[in-house]
Amino acid sequence: MQETQPAATAVPAKKPVVFSGIQPTGTMTLGNYLGAVRNWVQMQDDYDCIYPIVDMHSLTIRQEPKVLRSNILNAFALLLACGIDPQKSVTFIQSHVDNHAVLSWVLGCSTQFGELSRMTQFKDKSAKHADNINAGLFTYPVLMAADILLYQTDLVPVGVDQKQHLELTRDVAIRFNNLYGNTFKVPEAYIPKAGAKIMSLADPTKKMSKSDENPNGFITILDPADTIIRKFKRAVTDSEAQVVYREGKDGINNLMTIYSCVTGKTMEEIQREFDGKGYGDFKLAVGEVVADHLKPIRENFARLSADKGYLEEVYRRGAQQAQQRSSRTMEKVFRKIGFVR
Ligand code: AQP
């Protein structure tokens, strides 16, 4: 009898590695979600994605230990609730993988004081937390470089606010490769098509931030529907009463961006929809679509956060995967720099 040949199995092409993280400095905002996490979810089928909760970064500003612990667990549950699928992506808690701190030290020794001094986030955050300008705040970009380079990352989806740090990561990687031979993949910034910068509702010239002292400035993705609608009703706009996207109309531009991100409508369509209507109607409509959009996430979160056993299983498994993958890079680094193994 003739033997049947097994069908030639095509070797699956390696997917590009994507890395991005989120700090557990409070509940994820609509800005974090529309600007980052929603895109991360969409990338999971086409890329090899790694998405940690970067708890070590959050220590650069003062944290209350009890609150931080609960924020880390909530942030992890929220990532899953938004649709990060642990079967498709590696998701974990940064401090569970000690290679991040170790590589950060190594890279810190080839990062210059001058280049760190130029980071605008360091300048901004030192001004904001003048009583706590710690060394970690200064070396934050080195830890971020370590996070990214450990996984031989190809692409880093970042908001505009993080572009300078990514440039530094690239410089550090190139310098290290030139000095010790090819060790790290040099990552590229990835600006998703649907990316958007969401601004504060209370001051639309500032980005929406989860650590904003004014709770009316941000929407968290766990805010109940009535809170969301109330915050949108209070959003700072202008006195023109025209829903038009135009320079100088920061508040309305921001609300139109949010409405467009959630409904998929273009600015022209939104303009037509609200032609002749006042800001009251528009703000209510934005509040309602956002509340509807976030409802399934809130429901997923309630279910997931009640299942501590499942969460623990997922973050332990994620940490094991991340530890294994990052150890390959760490071994290479140790060999190159001359440590005895
Ligand atoms: N307002 C925003 N619009 C669009 N994207 C945003 N991101 C943050 N704010 C906006 C993106 O979210 C990802 C995770 O951010 P992070 O938590 O690591 O740090 P962050 O940028 O400092 O976010 P926050 O909310 O402003 O935190 P705090 O208040 O702690 O400083 C990143 O990809 C970021 O670009």
Side-chain angles (χ1 to χ4, degrees):
M1 212 171 76
Q2 209 185 351
E3 248 181 273
T4 46
Q5 292 291 319
T9 40
V11 180
K14 243 178 114 225
K15 292 178 180 173
V17 177
V18 162
F19 179 99
S20 211
I22 184 160
Q23 297 189 71
T25 36
T27 306
M28 190 190 296
T29 67
L30 186 64
N32 298 131
Y33 177 67
L34 294 180
V37 176
R38 191 169 75 155
N39 295 316
W40 300 355
V41 172
Q42 286 161 1
M43 295 174 88
Q44 295 182 105
D45 288 323
D46 300 324
Y47 298 92
D48 176 10
C49 300
I50 304 176
Y51 299 132
I53 299 298
V54 288
D55 53 347
M56 284 155 66
H57 285 274
S58 67
L59 291 185
T60 53
I61 54 173
R62 233 172 246 129
Q63 301 288 340
E64 175 64 41
K66 247 168 86 178
V67 177
L68 179 62
R69 192 170 301 120
S70 125
N71 278 346
I72 293 170
L73 291 173
N74 283 344
F76 190 76
L78 255 181
L79 263 196
L80 303 189
C82 287
I84 299 299
D85 178 351
Q87 300 298 330
K88 294 180 182 169
S89 302
V90 178
T91 184
F92 61 102
I93 296 168
Q94 181 192 30
S95 62
H96 292 182
V97 178
D98 44 21
N99 288 330
H100 290 254
V102 180
L103 183 60
S104 177
W105 175 257
V106 175
L107 296 180
C109 296
S110 61
T111 307
Q112 301 304 303
F113 186 87
E115 53 191 350
L116 289 177
S117 317
R118 286 193 289 275
M119 296 294 113
T120 53
Q121 180 175 291
F122 172 68
K123 292 183 201 161
D124 292 350
K125 291 216 167 167
S126 331
K128 209 166 152 192
H129 305 277
D131 59 334
N132 184 26
I133 307 177
N134 59 76
L137 196 60
F138 189 65
T139 56
Y140 179 112
V142 181
L143 179 58
M144 179 168 157
D147 297 340
I148 296 167
L149 299 180
L150 268 177
Y151 300 95
Q152 304 294 345
T153 301
D154 293 279
L155 299 170
V156 187
V158 276
V160 210
D161 54 318
Q162 290 296 332
K163 266 177 97 177
Q164 198 187 25
H165 287 165
L166 189 67
E167 273 309 312
L168 183 82
T169 300
R170 288 171 53 84
D171 292 345
V172 169
I174 293 169
R175 188 177 309 140
F176 193 98
N177 288 348
N178 287 340
L179 209 59
Y180 296 105
N182 203 17
T183 310
F184 299 118
K185 177 87 61 71
V186 180
E188 303 280 341
Y190 179 83
I191 314 286
K193 273 187 244 107
K197 187 170 179 191
I198 306 301
M199 311 306 282
S200 156
L201 299 185
D203 176 358
T205 60
K206 269 179 27 193
K207 84 163 183 161
M208 184 181 283
S209 259
K210 52 180 129 52
S211 58
D212 191 338
E213 275 148 26
N214 181 358
N216 289 320
F218 59 89
I219 303 283
T220 85
I221 65 171
L222 294 180
D223 278 344
D226 53 344
T227 306
I228 295 176
I229 289 168
R230 178 174 48 76
K231 286 186 183 176
F232 275 109
K233 277 186 179 164
R234 296 179 59 150
V236 168
T237 49
D238 52 66
S239 53
E240 219 181 44
Q242 261 192 321
V243 180
V244 181
Y245 194 96
R246 195 191 311 129
E247 217 189 307
K249 288 173 73 75
D250 297 325
I252 287 297
N253 293 350
N254 188 36
L255 296 184
M256 287 179 78
T257 302
I258 295 171
Y259 194 70
S260 165
C261 278
V262 173
T263 60
K265 292 178 185 170
T266 64
M267 294 303 173
E268 291 72 31
E269 285 169 335
I270 300 171
Q271 214 163 298
R272 273 198 301 277
E273 185 178 345
F274 293 96
D275 189 26
K277 294 186 183 153
Y279 285 170
D281 289 343
F282 178 51
K283 287 176 171 181
L284 181 65
V286 183
E288 283 175 346
V289 292
V290 168
D292 279 355
H293 189 79
L294 298 182
K295 190 168 171 243
I297 299 178
R298 280 199 302 278
E299 289 167 356
N300 287 343
F301 175 79
R303 187 172 41 76
L304 283 159
S305 57
D307 194 347
K308 298 277 184 288
Y310 172 72
L311 287 179
E312 188 176 331
E313 192 187 306
V314 175
Y315 64 66
R316 277 180 190 275
R317 198 174 50 231
Q320 274 168 8
Q321 293 169 327
Q323 183 75 31
Q324 210 173 40
R325 286 178 66 157
S326 57
S327 291
R328 293 204 286 269
T329 302
M330 244 11 266
E331 275 307 317
K332 205 167 158 187
V333 168
F334 286 148
R335 259 200 336 270
K336 298 263 187 185
I337 58 176
F339 279 3
V340 175
R341 302 309 293 153

